[in-house]
Amino acid sequence: MASVVDHARLAFTAVERLEKVSGSRELIETFRSCLDPFGFGVVLITGLPDPPADPTPFFLINSWPAGWHERYIEKDFYRDDPVAQAGRTQIDPFTWGEAPVDPERQPRARQVMAEAASVGMRDGFVVPILTSRSVQACVSVAGDKPELSPNVRRMIHLVGMFAHARAVRLHAGQKALTKRLLSDREREVLRWTAAGKTAWETSCILGISERTVTYHVTTAAQRLQAVSRTHAVARAITLGEISIS
């Protein structure tokens, strides 16, 4: 059985490998290969906006099985996902099985987990990431029968935090190449929209009228050639106009 020292050595080796990656695809493959010996074949690094926001624009890296993303979004599983809910509210790392289920707030929670298991994600481990922005983030790794011993959890905690930082840096590098299209106020209202806030809630937070918030969302959508608020948020994140970290 591997010791704490052995797992620490593996963690630092993984960090060294992750430090050398130069793109998101390489980051995914390197992160997965580091965790593969412990039964983790799926990795996700993402922001966790409040429902009903679409989580897709907040994904930094994602290796979900083919078809799962489409199913997850089509069925609006994010709203009832107990792992996502725990990731938005907890500070300490946790296994998927430790995520509390609230039947009233998450009536389909068991369905979400059962369908995830059916595509090879029977259990997993989550490292919540506290950010300076309005949206919490997390690193989530999963597999069919992953090892979840205390030493493996510690290793994933360390490597996961570094992988998140690396993903953010790579994303920031891509944003630096993008010409800014929006004003500061337009970016500000879109950041709160991305966090799931209504126009009224955003107006209270920023100390401006609801009408002004709606105006800035509308002009931002026009500049981004978006057809809706959700599309505007997705375009703003993709183009580097707003940050999810």
Side-chain angles (χ1 to χ4, degrees):
M1 181 179 293
S3 67
V4 173
V5 173
D6 292 329
H7 283 92
R9 186 179 297 113
L10 289 171
F12 284 114
T13 298
V15 166
E16 288 178 354
R17 292 179 61 192
L18 290 170
E19 196 166 28
K20 297 175 183 177
V21 303
S22 57
S24 296
R25 176 51 55 183
E26 187 181 0
L27 177 59
I28 290 175
E29 295 306 321
T30 302
F31 194 16
R32 286 180 61 185
S33 67
C34 291
L35 300 179
D36 186 65
F38 306 100
F40 295 94
V42 179
V43 298
L44 172 69
I45 299 179
T46 182
L48 295 170
D50 291 333
D54 179 359
T56 303
F58 296 84
F59 290 175
L60 288 176
I61 68 168
N62 176 25
S63 70
W64 273 353
W68 176 243
H69 177 263
E70 291 76 11
R71 174 73 174 170
Y72 190 87
I73 298 302
E74 177 189 356
K75 295 299 181 180
D76 195 20
F77 280 162
Y78 183 67
R79 186 188 299 269
D80 297 290
D81 187 342
V83 175
Q85 169 65 24
R88 291 192 297 271
T89 57
Q90 295 194 25
I91 297 175
D92 296 324
F94 58 91
T95 67
W96 283 16
E98 293 168 341
V101 175
D102 184 338
E104 292 187 3
R105 295 184 62 186
Q106 302 154 293
R108 298 184 300 160
R110 289 182 175 81
Q111 179 188 354
V112 175
M113 301 312 294
E115 294 204 22
S118 72
V119 295
M121 298 188 293
R122 194 173 304 278
D123 206 348
F125 188 70
V126 176
V127 180
I129 305 290
L130 298 178
T131 74
S132 59
R133 303 289 184 178
S134 58
V135 178
Q136 174 108 332
C138 81
V139 176
S140 182
V141 297
D144 188 43
K145 294 181 180 179
E147 180 183 342
L148 290 166
S149 65
N151 285 343
V152 170
R153 295 189 194 195
R154 295 186 189 102
M155 185 196 72
I156 297 175
H157 190 180
L158 174 61
V159 178
M161 289 192 296
F162 187 86
H164 173 265
R166 193 75 186 98
V168 170
R169 288 201 300 272
L170 289 172
H171 186 70
Q174 294 170 353
K175 290 194 302 181
L177 301 176
T178 304
K179 181 180 179 180
R180 292 284 177 150
L181 299 174
L182 305 181
S183 69
D184 289 342
R185 181 62 87 181
E186 287 168 341
R187 285 192 288 272
E188 195 171 27
V189 297
L190 283 186
R191 277 196 291 268
W192 287 109
T193 301
K197 302 301 182 183
T198 65
W200 179 79
E201 290 171 328
T202 300
S203 71
C204 294
I205 292 168
L206 299 180
I208 57 180
S209 70
E210 183 176 356
R211 182 176 180 179
T212 299
V213 170
T214 301
Y215 168 78
H216 285 303
V217 170
T218 300
T219 57
Q222 291 171 346
R223 293 176 193 271
L224 296 169
Q225 298 182 339
V227 297
S228 67
R229 286 162 55 97
T230 301
H231 190 203
V233 168
R235 289 277 295 161
I237 293 173
T238 300
L239 295 174
E241 290 287 341
I242 62 175
S243 172
I244 63 174
S245 59

